[in-house]
Amino acid sequence: MSVLRRAKTWEISESEEEADTETNNDDLNNDESSRGATTEDPTSNRGRKKGKRESGQTSALAPPRPHGSGTPSPARKRRSREEIEADRERARERKEEGERRRVARAQEKEERRREQQRRREAAENLKSLRPENCLRCLTVCVDPALLQQDGSDILLDTLAALEWRCSIESQQLPHSITWTRDLPQGVEGMGSVEEEEQVVVVLGLTDFMDMVISVKTMLDSEGEETGVGSFLSPLLECLNRDAKKVVTLLVTDPQLDYRTNACGVQSQLGLENLDIEEVLVYLQLCKSISLVFLDGWQEVTNHVCAVTKALSKRPFKLLTERAELPFCVDGSWASGVRVERDGSGLIQVWSKQIQQLNRVSPAVASTVTEAYPSPQLLLQAYQGLGSEEERKGLLAGLIVKSGGKERRIGPEISARVYRCFTAQNPQLVLD
């Protein structure tokens, strides 16, 4: 029973296998016939697909070639020692150049900062030179001996009312008043004090008489300065020590009616007019000492205030006078002409100089400056002529056009211009 069953199973298996084989062969034949009718050989197709896969793998692994070049790139060339050193040198030069530029920028920045600081200090110094600011820097120094005179309190009260600084201290000259100025912070010697040249000596009538007698005695002894009076001796010593001092003698006595003439008090001194004039000439011309007669301390106070205000204006005036041509003012109040750095404006100055002569109109001056654009050319033209008459009449024939009319300069104006520019005598009258 088991053998039959096994044989039957075997037969069924073989039949099924044969059926399956026949079915697979039929399907294979059908597939081959359909592929032969529509496509190529499967072996060639598989070869093509394999080639594509190989080419795709090759293209994915290979590095890109520039410009579609089919040749592989050569291997990178190793640099030599000289090339490496050259690259290092170039890098070092670039670094040094960058450092130099950085230092230059830092120096330029520092220079700009210093320039701004200098401008700021210059502006502050210029502001401090204004008269209202200079008054705060001035100190009126009064000798204590003056406070013993009657009426001296007027001076102190006036200075206190004006809020000006005042100092009571001993002076080199007795009975004198001096001025000191605090230097601005931008000037060397910051915090120092500068003494002004102005010195005012207040004398009474008795002291002035002693001085006049001392001067007269000194002049009679042929200028010997020994044995002079108590007030004249320190005064001469101060002037000999510092010749820049400007001394003014204020003679005051409330009991006398002084004007500004010393001859008015000759009877009080017991001297002749000639003696008084001789003393004044010596003091003013030989020693540069000014003499002023005042009624009392009120006028002395007014004089001291006037000198203080003048000293406060002095620094600003000195600053404005530093220009190359200070007579060419910047403005129309004095008919001034502005002269630029390139020299433009000098022809107008030359024309204004000719107009200073009497009866010389702007048209006449313009005619002269057109013919001779500078004073040097006019002087050369004078030197080129042989006689005096030709020089005087050099400008007489020039035509002046004014108001639609023409006229000549004439011999009179021509001669005056010639005398003005060639005369050696300063006292010569041109007209």
Side-chain angles (χ1 to χ4, degrees):
M1 185 71 178
S2 59
V3 175
L4 292 176
R5 186 178 297 170
R6 188 168 50 245
K8 186 176 183 180
T9 303
W10 177 259
E11 289 177 359
I12 292 173
S13 298
E14 285 181 355
S15 62
E16 288 178 358
E17 185 178 356
E18 288 176 0
D20 292 338
T21 303
E22 289 177 359
T23 304
N24 291 337
N25 290 333
D26 293 340
D27 293 339
L28 184 58
N29 293 331
N30 293 333
D31 292 339
E32 289 178 358
S33 60
S34 59
R35 288 196 189 98
T38 56
T39 60
E40 298 178 355
D41 187 14
T43 57
S44 62
N45 192 10
R46 286 196 298 269
R48 189 180 296 111
K49 291 181 179 180
K50 184 177 180 181
K52 289 182 179 181
R53 287 195 301 269
E54 293 178 354
S55 61
Q57 293 176 356
T58 305
S59 60
L61 297 177
R65 296 166 183 166
H67 307 292
S69 173
T71 58
S73 59
R76 184 176 180 181
K77 184 179 179 181
R78 295 186 61 182
R79 296 184 302 169
S80 60
R81 185 183 300 274
E82 291 78 6
E83 293 176 348
I84 296 175
E85 293 295 333
D87 292 343
R88 291 178 179 176
E89 184 67 24
R90 285 192 294 268
R92 185 167 55 254
E93 291 178 356
R94 288 194 298 268
K95 184 177 180 180
E96 292 177 355
E97 181 66 22
E99 185 68 19
R100 285 194 296 267
R101 287 197 297 266
R102 189 186 64 80
V103 173
R105 287 194 298 268
Q107 292 178 353
E108 184 178 358
K109 184 178 180 180
E110 181 67 18
E111 185 65 25
R112 287 197 302 266
R113 189 190 63 80
R114 292 179 181 176
E115 182 65 22
Q116 292 177 358
Q117 182 68 17
R118 285 194 294 266
R119 291 181 180 179
R120 191 180 302 108
E121 293 177 356
E124 292 177 356
N125 292 337
L126 182 61
K127 184 178 180 180
S128 65
L129 293 180
R130 294 178 181 177
E132 61 273 13
N133 295 328
C134 285
L135 277 174
R136 303 190 187 100
C137 301
L138 289 175
T139 302
V140 183
C141 303
V142 183
D143 189 75
L146 293 176
L147 303 180
Q148 301 176 3
Q149 301 182 12
D150 295 337
S152 59
D153 55 339
I154 299 177
L155 175 62
L156 300 181
D157 295 341
T158 303
L159 295 178
L162 294 174
E163 296 182 355
W164 293 353
R165 294 191 300 181
C166 179
S167 175
I168 309 299
E169 56 185 12
S170 300
Q171 304 295 320
Q172 295 180 356
L173 294 177
H175 298 81
S176 65
I177 300 175
T178 60
W179 287 263
T180 59
R181 183 191 304 274
D182 296 338
L183 297 178
Q185 296 181 358
V187 181
E188 293 184 1
M190 180 179 56
S192 61
V193 177
E194 180 184 12
E195 185 176 357
E196 297 289 344
E197 296 95 358
Q198 296 292 333
V199 178
V200 172
V201 180
V202 183
L203 298 177
L205 180 60
T206 304
D207 298 331
F208 179 67
M209 290 175 61
D210 294 340
M211 179 176 292
V212 171
I213 294 174
S214 301
V215 172
K216 182 62 179 173
T217 304
M218 183 180 60
L219 293 178
D220 293 339
S221 62
E222 297 181 355
E224 289 188 12
E225 299 182 359
T226 58
V228 296
S230 59
F231 282 97
L232 184 60
S233 178
L235 180 60
L236 297 179
E237 291 178 0
C238 178
L239 293 177
N240 293 333
R241 183 169 54 254
D242 189 358
K244 295 182 179 180
K245 291 292 184 181
V246 180
V247 181
T248 302
L249 296 180
L250 302 182
V251 181
T252 177
D253 195 326
Q255 298 179 358
L256 295 177
D257 185 14
Y258 291 135
R259 299 307 174 200
T260 56
N261 192 354
C263 295
V265 294
Q266 59 180 347
S267 60
Q268 301 292 334
L269 300 178
L271 299 175
E272 299 294 334
N273 290 343
L274 184 60
D275 296 334
I276 295 294
E277 291 178 357
E278 185 179 2
V279 171
L280 293 180
V281 167
Y282 173 78
L283 292 177
Q284 294 178 359
L285 299 183
C286 298
K287 297 300 181 180
S288 299
I289 299 176
S290 301
L291 184 64
V292 181
F293 289 90
L294 301 176
D295 291 338
W297 269 94
Q298 182 60 52
E299 293 190 3
V300 172
T301 301
N302 296 338
H303 183 86
V304 171
C305 293
V307 174
T308 305
K309 291 181 179 180
L311 291 176
S312 66
K313 298 178 181 179
R314 182 181 180 184
F316 190 78
K317 288 185 178 180
L318 292 177
L319 181 64
T320 57
E321 290 177 358
R322 291 178 183 177
E324 297 180 359
L325 299 176
F327 59 88
C328 301
V329 296
D330 186 9
S332 59
W333 62 274
S335 299
V337 179
R338 182 178 179 84
V339 179
E340 303 295 341
R341 294 183 180 273
D342 57 354
S344 58
L346 289 175
I347 188 68
Q348 287 81 6
V349 176
W350 169 223
S351 178
K352 292 289 185 181
Q353 186 176 0
I354 299 176
Q355 294 180 40
Q356 294 178 358
L357 300 175
N358 293 334
R359 298 182 302 278
V360 175
S361 62
V364 174
S366 178
T367 302
V368 176
T369 55
E370 289 179 0
Y372 303 97
S374 67
Q376 186 67 27
L377 295 177
L378 180 59
L379 293 177
Q380 291 177 0
Y382 284 141
Q383 295 174 0
L385 299 178
S387 62
E388 188 76 10
E389 295 299 328
E390 291 178 353
R391 298 189 185 98
K392 289 183 179 180
L394 175 63
L395 306 177
L398 298 179
I399 303 299
V400 180
K401 297 180 181 180
S402 177
K405 298 180 181 179
E406 294 183 358
R407 62 182 180 87
R408 298 182 183 276
I409 290 181
E412 181 183 356
I413 295 180
S414 178
R416 281 197 288 125
V417 173
Y418 169 71
R419 288 194 297 269
C420 177
F421 287 97
T422 59
Q424 301 295 328
N425 183 12
Q427 306 297 331
L428 178 64
V429 179
L430 299 178
D431 291 339

